[in-house]
Amino acid sequence: MGLRPKPKRPASCYERGIMRYSNAFIPTLKEVPKDATTPSHIFLLRAGFVRMVGAGIYEMLPLGFRVLSKIANIVRDEMNASGAQEVLMPALLPREFFEETGRYELYGDVLLRLKDRKGGEYHLGPTHEEIITDMVRRDVKSYRQLPQNLYQVQMKFRDEARPRAGLLRCREFMMKDAYSFDTTEENAFKSYGVMRETYHRIFKRLGLQYRIVEADSGAIGGKTSAEFQVLAQTGEDAIVACTACEYAANVEVATTPVPAKSTAAVDAMEKIETPGKKTIEAVATFLNVPTNQTVKALFFRVIKDAGVSYALAFVRGDHEAHEVKMINALGARELVMGTWDEAKALGLTLGFVGPQGLPSHKDLEVIVDRFLDSGEGYVAGANEVGFHTKNVLFGRDFGPGSSGESVGRVVDIRTVNDGDACPSCGAGLKTYRGIEGGHIFVLGTHYSAKMNCTFLDESQQEKPIVMGCYGIGVSRLVAAAIDKNHDANGILWTMSIAPCCASCSQAYSPLLHRPDCCCPPTMHSPNRRRTAPPMAWRKSASRGWIFPI
């Protein structure tokens, strides 16, 4: 009897480490999905990197998962090199921890809440400050156990009202979040500096063009905050940067100096009839004045933890108020444009509201942008239908020091624009679009004081631990890399995060190893030969590998 031939093993898409394109699971699409608008969303779907399971929920296909894993590994390498230690915290969290810090209500509908079979209330973690603080407070008791820096790479969940742009704005996403614990604020800033340098190394290894900018801390809290913004024309964030110095900031916190006050005398106020003229442009045209000599009024319903109130914000007519700046100035959770009926109940005449002589009301707060304190007279609403007032002067007719009843607080709520002066050196500012890839904070004792996370110092005095927080959107960076690096033909991956390496070589020629290639050198040994696979990637001399669509 002859020997039965040994059955051949099924062909694998990976043969001794080489990915075989003919067997790979890469389901491409010919048409652009109708809900995909950004380059990253379009290319990830069409090239077979991801598929949408539900609104804001995506599954990673083999190519997408390889890119995601490479980014996560670079992050882990640099975090470990900085001395941070990796942990893994649960995604399902009891409500009690967020209640300790007041964020269970603060997060509102963004928090994905659920109950177990016993009626216990839980939520899926959008972030883990409370959980890591509880981990440390249970076991760290002495200054000898500090400093500590703990991090995780894990899925987060936020019930976004309008998920969009693919992996940039998801309900479920992968994030690296690290937390430092120190004895003093000085030491906390040292930890912050170490993480800042670590982030520089991470983004350089990823091959992304980025800018570090001042930022708003948002719902995380804390007093020092910076973002690592990947520069891309399709970015969802607006940032400004100085053309002459290192100043850069998210427009949420960007500022510009107020010009010197005018010392010229301003005539007394004069009421003028302006029938039907309710907008800045209509009033400026009717009275033949530039818009920068008018005052714009904005009426909002202010939603706070303590309840609902109302606010009037006044800015110069040619300026725009920034929502985040107003939220911070008012201590609000959310701002909603007020209605005509709500304004009428407060004695306001929308379209003709001015900062002078406002009716006082306990539920109405007035804020005034600092640019109105210019020493010049403005045209503002006369608080009477069909009328405006000329020569309205800050400090005399409204604002602190005036005789008005609702004088208002002076705050910085103006949106900074192209060409405005830099607050550091006075040169011009330029606006950019960016995608937030990382965010670092000095939290101080924002969480430790509320959760009684304390230690005993050298003199046996109990003190709250000073914390820092450092996040990187791992899955966001997959999309950010594409939005920054693509052309009409498709994705241009940088070598460090390309899903696979390909050699544009003649059949049976040796594969040459590149220094920035992610494969081990033995994969490209001169003694190793193979048949050239179908062309899956094409080479760009300076920008890595391109996956054609």
Side-chain angles (χ1 to χ4, degrees), residues 40-81:
S40 61
H41 196 186
I42 293 170
F43 292 149
L44 284 170
L45 288 170
R46 291 195 61 200
F49 281 68
V50 303
R51 284 291 181 268
M52 187 172 75
V53 176
I57 306 171
Y58 291 85
E59 57 192 6
M60 286 285 179
L61 304 185
L63 290 180
F65 186 68
R66 286 173 70 86
V67 176
L68 185 74
S69 299
K70 288 185 177 184
I71 294 174
N73 289 338
I74 288 173
V75 171
R76 282 190 171 98
D77 285 347
E78 295 299 337
M79 290 299 296
N80 292 339

Side-chain angles (χ1 to χ4, degrees), residues 115-290:
K115 290 185 179 182
D116 66 8
R117 66 180 68 191
K118 298 178 181 178
E121 296 190 46
Y122 296 82
H123 62 92
L124 297 179
T127 182
H128 281 73
E129 282 78 10
E130 287 84 355
I131 308 305
I132 196 74
T133 303
D134 176 67
M135 180 189 296
V136 170
R137 73 177 172 180
R138 282 186 275 112
D139 294 298
V140 174
K141 304 298 181 184
S142 169
Y143 72 94
R144 294 186 179 89
Q145 296 171 275
L146 299 171
Q148 294 288 343
N149 192 332
L150 307 174
Y151 80 94
Q152 67 170 352
V153 179
Q154 199 217 47
M155 301 302 290
K156 307 284 188 184
F157 305 87
R158 294 178 187 173
D159 195 3
E160 294 281 354
R162 292 176 295 276
R164 60 189 184 278
L167 298 183
L168 288 180
R169 185 66 67 179
C170 296
R171 299 169 71 192
E172 179 186 67
F173 54 94
M174 181 177 284
M175 185 176 176
K176 186 282 300 178
D177 47 323
Y179 306 90
S180 62
F181 300 85
D182 288 277
T183 55
T184 65
E185 190 168 281
E186 180 183 0
N187 290 336
F189 273 97
K190 290 181 181 178
S191 297
Y192 178 86
V194 170
M195 285 293 98
R196 187 177 175 123
E197 291 304 314
T198 300
Y199 273 42
H200 278 298
R201 293 195 300 271
I202 289 171
F203 280 84
K204 286 175 182 176
R205 283 186 62 182
L206 294 175
L208 300 175
Q209 184 184 1
Y210 68 96
R211 190 84 186 245
I212 185 167
V213 303
E214 295 179 13
D216 177 61
S217 296
I220 301 296
K223 49 189 175 182
T224 300
S225 171
E227 291 173 344
F228 283 74
Q229 289 276 353
V230 178
L231 302 180
Q233 289 300 318
T234 56
E236 59 183 358
D237 291 335
I239 60 177
V240 294
C242 181
T243 56
C245 73
E246 293 299 312
Y247 176 79
N250 192 304
V251 292
E252 296 174 350
V253 298
T255 186
T256 185
V258 178
K261 291 181 65 170
S262 171
T263 57
V266 178
D267 294 338
M269 289 192 297
E270 177 185 356
K271 189 163 77 170
I272 299 175
E273 189 173 5
T274 53
K277 305 298 185 287
K278 298 180 180 181
T279 66
I280 292 295
E281 291 74 17
V283 171
T285 302
F286 183 77
L287 297 179
N288 195 26
V289 297

Side-chain angles (χ1 to χ4, degrees), residues 232-459:
Q233 289 300 318
T234 56
E236 59 183 358
D237 291 335
I239 60 177
V240 294
C242 181
T243 56
C245 73
E246 293 299 312
Y247 176 79
N250 192 304
V251 292
E252 296 174 350
V253 298
T255 186
T256 185
V258 178
K261 291 181 65 170
S262 171
T263 57
V266 178
D267 294 338
M269 289 192 297
E270 177 185 356
K271 189 163 77 170
I272 299 175
E273 189 173 5
T274 53
K277 305 298 185 287
K278 298 180 180 181
T279 66
I280 292 295
E281 291 74 17
V283 171
T285 302
F286 183 77
L287 297 179
N288 195 26
V289 297
T291 55
N292 63 5
Q293 291 181 13
T294 63
V295 175
K296 183 189 301 182
L298 302 166
F299 177 57
F300 294 99
R301 186 187 319 133
V302 182
I303 301 172
K304 299 182 179 181
D305 293 336
V308 176
S309 60
Y310 297 91
L312 272 173
F314 292 98
V315 295
R316 213 170 73 182
D318 61 329
H319 291 167
E320 296 295 332
H322 198 283
E323 182 180 5
V324 172
K325 287 186 174 183
M326 289 191 291
I327 286 175
N328 291 337
L330 295 166
R333 203 170 70 199
E334 185 181 357
L335 293 181
V336 180
M337 292 299 295
T339 65
W340 287 87
D341 290 339
E342 290 170 327
K344 187 177 180 180
L346 296 170
L348 303 176
T349 54
L350 293 186
F352 300 94
V353 176
Q356 75 290 349
L358 278 170
S360 61
H361 197 286
K362 63 181 180 65
D363 289 330
L364 180 66
E365 187 173 358
V366 180
I367 55 177
V368 178
D369 184 64
R370 60 200 180 101
F371 266 75
L372 291 177
D373 183 13
S374 64
E376 299 178 358
Y378 292 95
V379 174
N383 296 307
E384 182 180 343
V385 176
F387 290 89
H388 280 75
T389 303
K390 292 177 65 176
N391 305 323
V392 177
L393 179 64
F394 179 92
R396 184 190 70 183
D397 307 316
F398 72 98
S402 68
S403 58
E405 293 182 3
S406 297
V407 295
R409 288 189 295 117
V410 180
V411 292
D412 177 12
I413 56 174
R414 182 209 155 182
T415 301
V416 174
N417 296 313
D418 240 346
D420 285 332
C422 171
S424 297
C425 70
L429 294 173
K430 183 173 175 57
T431 58
Y432 300 88
R433 302 300 301 183
I435 299 169
E436 181 187 343
H439 205 154
I440 57 178
F441 308 80
V442 174
L443 298 173
T445 58
H446 184 81
Y447 293 93
S448 56
K450 293 178 181 179
M451 298 186 67
N452 196 31
C453 180
T454 61
F455 71 100
L456 295 178
D457 65 9
E458 295 92 330
S459 58

